[in-house]
Amino acid sequence: MTTQIDFMRVPFAADLASYGDRPAILTDTLVLTYRELAERVDDLAVRLGTERRLVALTAGNDPDSLVAYLAALAGGHPLILLPEDKPAALESLLAAYDPDVVMRSGNGGTVLEERRPGTRHELHPDLALLLSTSGSTGSPKLVRLSHANLQANAESIAEYLNIGPDDRAATTLPMSYCYGLSVINSHLLRGAGLVLTGLSVVDPCFWDLFRQQGATAFAAVPYTFELLERVGFAGMELPDLRYVTQAGGRMAPESVRHYAELGRRNGWEFFVMYGQTEATARMAYLPPGLAAELPGAVGIPVPGGSFRIDPVPGLEHGELVYTGPNVMLGYARSPADLAAGRTVTELRTGDLARKHPAGVYEVVGRRGRFVKIVGLRVDLGQVERLLADLGVRAASAGTDDGVVVAIEGDHDAQLLGKVLAQGVGLPRAALEVHAVERLPRLATGKLDYQAVLALSRPQPAPVTEAGGTDSVRKIFQDALECADIADGDTFVSLGGDSLSYVAASVRLEQALGHLPPDWHVTPVRDLEPRPHTEPVRKRRRYFARLETSIVLRAVAIVLIVSTHVGLFSWQGTAHVLMAVAGFNFARFQLAGERLPRLRRQLASLARIVVPSMAFIGVAYLITDNYLPANILLLNAVLGPAAVTTQWHFWFIEILVYLLLGMTALLAFPWADRTERRFPLLFPLALTGVGLLTRYELVNPGVPHTAPALWLFTLGWAIARSRTVAQRCVVSAIAVLTVPGFFDNANREYTLLAGILLLIWLPGIPVPKGLRRLTVVLASASLYAYLVHWLVFPLLAGISPVLAVAASLAAGIAYWALCMRVVNAVTRRRTRPKNPAKPVPTT
């Protein structure tokens, strides 16, 4: 059915250009004004066409997803909004609704998959947006929202939060979640800015961006506040923060009081809010001044809305009913429902509530959270409240066959089961209690009750390729020698660096079946695989993909040793490794606050310096090739200008100088702030400085520093290049500056090829039989470079192949020895001095 769409638009999406050059989107690398945003939206709306079509969008917290969302609203196309990281949800809804167009972010822009030229759907004129009512499960039951719903709710939220053009909200929640989307809508309505990011609040980079862009607000669900406690939010300096909002589930009253008081002390307001997808987002808010006095209340209706409480037979409290312009049109369960108009005029929330004498509403339970077991009506919310009164965090789910309860922490499940059975009057056999490390949650932070229910069915552990089981925590514990790993910890926050990265990445890929992008800064919680109830069939594969930097390290050390032995000559890979070193420095050494980051950088530097000095000291004692300056890694400064055996360790010396220099530079607060604000421009500027030495316009006075500084900082810039345009820039720098550096064209081709691989290929397939060897060689590459100078002269005259193999084997052995020593020292340092005596249990 063909319909024109000139009059069916959401005003805040169609009027973006009216805010002119005010900043609309701010990221770590991009600032888009409202005028520029409107131009992008208009361009995409033209591509969507003037005939109304059903559009599906898999959205992340990125500019392209936001442009796609606004283009659909501005163009009047009904939009199904889905999370980008849940392909199963997309497949389910594609099968159920057969949209005409599918949009997603990719290739530096928005990808449009035109599934047909027109539309096969009959779409009601008021229909604007379709959201899932069940998180990210891909349920075909969708909430139908109108253009008026979106505009009205954005206006009411902007009114009670007093959002103005100078506000900037950080996107802490998924755009596909109605709460996260309401933050976007209400700020765009008022011409405010959006600090667009997909970073977690446990990632130090999130708070760097928050401060850098002057963010004034963020939204949180109850679980977010648990994460905030872990990262020391109470002690953070956030000078521009104006308010924090909370919704997405009930928050413990004591926590509400705590954050209300924290906000009062630090000059920001704390808003508790209440809502449902069926009400577009928000139905009520608690004025900040009442939060400390009435922390259990959901507040008063949003502007334009109203509540009433209808009696429920057999229950003490009635059901809360909401009326307002943001109430949905109704539900959709099939494509035929998309032609329907309004089927509901009020929202029966399903929540049991009472009105406080102060005029605010309190939710006391959930009407739908009841099961009937052996003739007894059981309130699942009451089960959770009984445990909360005992200081136990819990989530309960159930069917008419029984109740399943997950309790967080190391509690006595059997004892609590008896207490609960007595408290709710159930037979003990009808109640299962399971102790879990963390309560299961959806991506939105809400409790995952389906996962709780699944605890009653035994689940197989994730199976690795070797047939064993490996959790992400176990992998990190082994790689980093740390026992206490929380859900919000990341590989980088736990002290991981390029030396421990290789082994951890390979084991992680084996455990998960793939290596997630940016896994090293992804919280453990998000890396742990969900258990499968059915075995997954795997196709036989003859190649395994390894990260490009790992393959380059392994190949380079083989070529370096082979060239030095005389097996063949292939030069240039040592300089590739210098770029890889800068690449890894940016990935592992630049996260976190300045002082903790400095400590981590110095610790990583020590892991290079100590083994190097120890080995060179032995080499000094048993040969006549080296001087004390070599032991101190100062030959490049104090040694002879002529290239002799004393220059064997030039690579390690220059690498140490660069790491020490960059660590010292970033220890200055002004440099630290500049790097955080301009993460790509900063290393590009340093590359420019390095090019002064590369073209001999400046003489640093230390041989080999000229190519090293330039290549190290170029590798740093490669790690900071996120978009295709940025990768093109660093590629152009390499293409323009590598030629002419060496007298050997093949050496230049090798260096350029290694840099371009690092820029454009995230992974390289290697034969499966060589995977483990490649990983070990990459891990031991620095150590093999050290020891091969002593090993190969003994065997080169007998067999060059044997000399190469022995050199690499000796490097691997020295690497293994050093790792054993480091792990032993780490365990000794972390061992408690006065271990607690075991406490007898009763």
Side-chain angles (χ1 to χ4, degrees):
M1 178 179 177
T2 301
T3 55
Q4 295 302 312
I5 57 176
D6 290 343
F7 59 92
M8 292 171 293
R9 301 182 181 184
V10 179
F12 71 75
D15 299 337
L16 297 169
S18 64
Y19 290 108
D21 293 326
R22 295 200 64 84
I25 298 177
L26 305 99
T27 72
D28 56 347
T29 59
L30 172 74
V31 175
L32 272 184
T33 67
Y34 271 89
R35 192 186 315 280
E36 293 167 332
L37 176 60
E39 290 173 356
R40 292 196 184 189
V41 169
D42 290 344
D43 289 344
L44 186 55
V46 169
R47 292 172 61 192
L48 287 172
T50 57
E51 180 183 355
R52 292 188 84 209
R53 295 192 289 173
L54 182 62
V55 178
L57 168 64
T58 58
N61 288 356
D62 60 80
D64 293 327
S65 294
L66 181 58
V67 167
Y69 164 69
L70 293 171
L73 293 189
H77 301 281
L79 179 70
I80 302 174
L81 192 58
L82 299 163
E84 68 172 353
D85 59 345
K86 298 293 186 293
L90 174 62
E91 293 302 319
S92 174
L93 288 169
L94 286 180
Y97 285 92
D98 190 21
D100 305 308
V101 183
V102 177
M103 296 193 292
R104 59 175 62 86
S105 298
N107 300 324
T110 303
V111 178
L112 262 67
E113 179 189 331
E114 302 268 1
R115 307 182 81 213
R116 61 186 61 89
T119 183
R120 65 172 53 179
H121 300 287
E122 185 175 351
L123 305 169
H124 192 275
D126 292 339
L127 183 62
L129 186 65
L130 295 146
L131 294 176
S132 172
T133 62
S134 53
S136 55
T137 62
S139 167
K141 183 180 179 182
L142 300 176
V143 172
R144 294 183 292 117
L145 299 175
S146 69
H147 307 87
N149 289 154
L150 296 172
Q151 184 73 15
N153 205 226
E155 289 176 350
S156 64
I157 294 170
E159 180 179 338
Y160 70 74
L161 292 179
N162 193 28
I163 297 173
D166 293 329
D167 279 310
R168 294 180 178 182
T171 55
T172 48
L173 300 169
M175 178 178 163
S176 54
Y177 173 36
C178 70
Y179 182 15
L181 191 63
S182 71
V183 174
I184 291 173
N185 293 345
S186 56
H187 281 73
L188 292 176
L189 174 80
R190 292 289 181 87
L194 292 169
V195 181
L196 213 54
T197 176
L199 295 171
S200 166
V201 296
V202 299
D203 192 329
C205 295
F206 171 85
W207 297 108
D208 294 341
L209 180 64
F210 194 95
R211 283 184 284 263
Q212 171 189 326
Q213 299 295 5
T216 61
F218 67 90
V221 296
Y223 183 60
T224 309
F225 291 96
E226 295 181 31
L227 301 180
L228 292 178
E229 291 291 334
R230 296 181 203 166
V231 298
F233 171 73
M236 288 184 183
E237 292 185 11
L238 303 170
D240 297 304
L241 181 61
R242 189 171 71 80
Y243 66 86
V244 176
T245 64
Q246 181 272 317
R250 182 178 182 272
M251 191 168 172
E254 59 272 19
S255 295
V256 172
R257 283 197 184 94
H258 168 72
Y259 280 96
E261 176 58 25
L262 180 63
R264 187 191 65 77
R265 291 198 309 267
N266 293 339
W268 48 266
E269 293 184 307
F270 183 60
F271 287 84
V272 174
M273 306 192 300
Y274 166 73
Q276 292 180 1
T277 307
E278 289 84 346
T280 311
R282 305 274 67 81
M283 291 184 285
Y285 72 98
L286 183 63
L290 297 178
E293 179 185 352
L294 300 167
V298 297
I300 59 177
V302 299
S306 63
F307 283 131
R308 74 170 189 271
I309 297 177
D310 284 355
V312 177
L315 294 179
E316 178 184 357
H317 301 289
E319 181 180 9
L320 190 63
V321 181
Y322 176 80
T323 305
N326 51 316
V327 171
M328 66 176 178
L329 297 173
Y331 292 111
R333 293 176 176 84
S334 70
D337 295 327
L338 304 182
R342 180 169 292 281
T343 58
V344 297
T345 57
E346 60 184 18
L347 178 60
R348 306 195 71 83
T349 66
D351 288 327
L352 303 177
R354 63 190 176 202
K355 190 172 183 179
H356 191 275
V360 298
Y361 289 83
E362 296 175 310
V363 172
V364 296
R366 180 75 183 158
R367 183 174 183 177
R369 294 266 290 146
F370 288 87
V371 291
K372 197 169 186 179
I373 302 171
V374 295
L376 299 174
R377 189 177 177 87
V378 178
D379 179 357
L380 297 175
Q382 179 63 14
V383 171
E384 295 175 2
R385 290 191 291 274
L386 283 172
L387 290 171
D389 290 341
L390 297 173
V392 179
R393 291 184 176 180
S396 63
T399 66
D400 288 348
D401 296 324
V403 174
V404 183
V405 182
I407 55 174
E408 185 174 274
D410 187 19
H411 297 285
D412 188 332
Q414 186 173 1
L415 177 61
L416 289 175
K418 293 179 181 179
V419 172
L420 277 180
Q422 295 173 359
V424 298
L426 273 180
R428 180 65 184 87
L431 188 68
E432 291 183 45
V433 180
H434 299 269
V436 296
E437 187 174 359
R438 294 287 176 189
L439 295 179
R441 296 183 183 273
L442 299 168
T444 60
K446 291 186 176 182
L447 290 169
D448 186 347
Y449 287 109
Q450 288 300 315
V452 173
L453 201 57
L455 292 173
S456 64
R457 299 188 294 272
Q459 304 287 349
V463 180
T464 69
E465 291 182 5
T469 59
D470 256 345
S471 70
V472 174
R473 279 182 174 78
K474 180 66 165 58
I475 293 169
F476 284 9
Q477 285 169 353
D478 292 346
L480 304 174
E481 283 293 322
C482 52
D484 187 15
I485 298 179
D487 277 357
D489 288 334
T490 70
F491 179 80
V492 171
S493 71
L494 291 168
D497 58 16
S498 60
L499 297 175
S500 51
Y501 175 86
V502 178
S505 67
V506 173
R507 286 185 60 190
L508 188 65
E509 185 175 4
Q510 289 177 332
L512 302 182
H514 70 291
L515 192 64
D518 295 331
W519 68 266
H520 55 294
V521 291
T522 301
V524 170
R525 174 190 65 255
D526 298 333
L527 287 174
E528 290 284 10
R530 283 182 173 271
H532 297 287
T533 56
E534 297 180 3
V536 178
R537 293 184 179 180
K538 292 186 177 181
R539 290 184 300 173
R540 186 176 181 84
R541 295 184 297 173
Y542 297 96
F543 287 87
R545 183 172 293 274
L546 288 177
E547 188 176 292
T548 299
S549 66
I550 295 174
V551 177
L552 288 177
R553 287 166 65 179
V555 171
I557 193 59
V558 172
L559 295 180
I560 289 170
V561 173
S562 298
T563 298
H564 290 167
V565 170
L567 181 62
F568 54 77
S569 179
W570 195 318
Q571 295 180 309
T573 52
H575 294 86
V576 173
L577 288 182
M578 197 62 72
V580 172
F583 179 79
N584 285 328
F585 176 78
R587 298 174 75 199
F588 304 115
Q589 303 302 325
L590 298 183
E593 298 293 335
R594 183 168 58 90
L595 293 180
R597 181 167 78 173
L598 176 62
R599 288 192 292 269
R600 189 166 63 250
Q601 289 167 343
L602 292 175
S604 181
L605 187 61
R607 293 183 66 179
I608 297 173
V609 170
V610 174
S612 298
M613 293 178 66
F615 180 81
I616 297 171
V618 172
Y620 168 76
L621 293 175
I622 65 176
T623 73
D624 296 327
N625 295 333
Y626 309 110
L627 297 174
N630 291 112
I631 301 174
L632 299 175
L633 302 180
L634 291 175
N635 181 72
V637 178
L638 303 177
V643 177
T644 66
T645 56
Q646 294 163 34
W647 279 97
H648 281 172
F649 306 108
W650 74 267
F651 180 90
I652 293 173
E653 291 185 8
I654 300 302
L655 177 60
V656 168
Y657 298 167
L658 287 172
L659 291 173
L660 195 58
M662 296 305 161
T663 298
L665 175 63
L666 293 172
F668 290 102
W670 63 267
D672 178 69
R673 289 192 300 269
T674 304
E675 189 278 327
R676 294 176 191 277
R677 186 169 185 182
F678 304 105
L680 178 59
L681 291 178
F682 189 84
L684 286 179
L686 292 177
T687 302
V689 174
L691 287 173
L692 295 177
T693 64
R694 179 257 182 267
Y695 288 107
E696 299 180 354
L697 299 174
V698 173
N699 182 4
V702 180
H704 295 292
T705 301
L709 176 58
W710 155 53
L711 293 171
F712 183 92
T713 54
L714 184 60
W716 180 347
I718 291 170
R720 292 306 201 205
S721 299
R722 300 295 186 185
T723 67
V724 171
Q726 291 169 349
R727 292 189 182 101
C728 286
V729 169
V730 292
S731 297
I733 293 173
V735 170
L736 292 173
T737 57
V738 169
F741 181 70
F742 298 114
D743 294 331
N744 185 326
N746 290 333
R747 196 174 182 184
E748 292 172 353
Y749 294 150
T750 297
L751 175 56
L752 185 57
I755 292 173
L756 293 177
L757 285 173
L758 197 61
I759 295 171
W760 293 103
L761 285 186
I764 296 176
V766 298
K768 214 166 187 180
L770 296 178
R771 174 183 182 145
R772 180 169 179 78
L773 177 61
T774 304
V775 169
V776 172
L777 284 173
S779 301
S781 56
L782 179 76
Y783 303 85
Y785 182 87
L786 274 170
V787 305
H788 86 285
W789 292 112
L790 293 191
V791 174
F792 83 79
L794 303 175
L795 301 171
I798 301 173
S799 168
V801 174
L802 178 61
V804 171
S807 296
L808 296 175
I812 292 171
Y814 187 49
W815 163 69
L817 174 64
C818 291
M819 291 303 99
R820 280 178 173 267
V821 172
V822 169
N823 294 342
V825 171
T826 302
R827 284 193 296 268
R828 186 176 183 85
R829 289 176 58 190
T830 56
R831 184 182 302 158
K833 295 181 180 179
N834 297 303
K837 295 181 179 179
V839 179
T841 57
T842 58

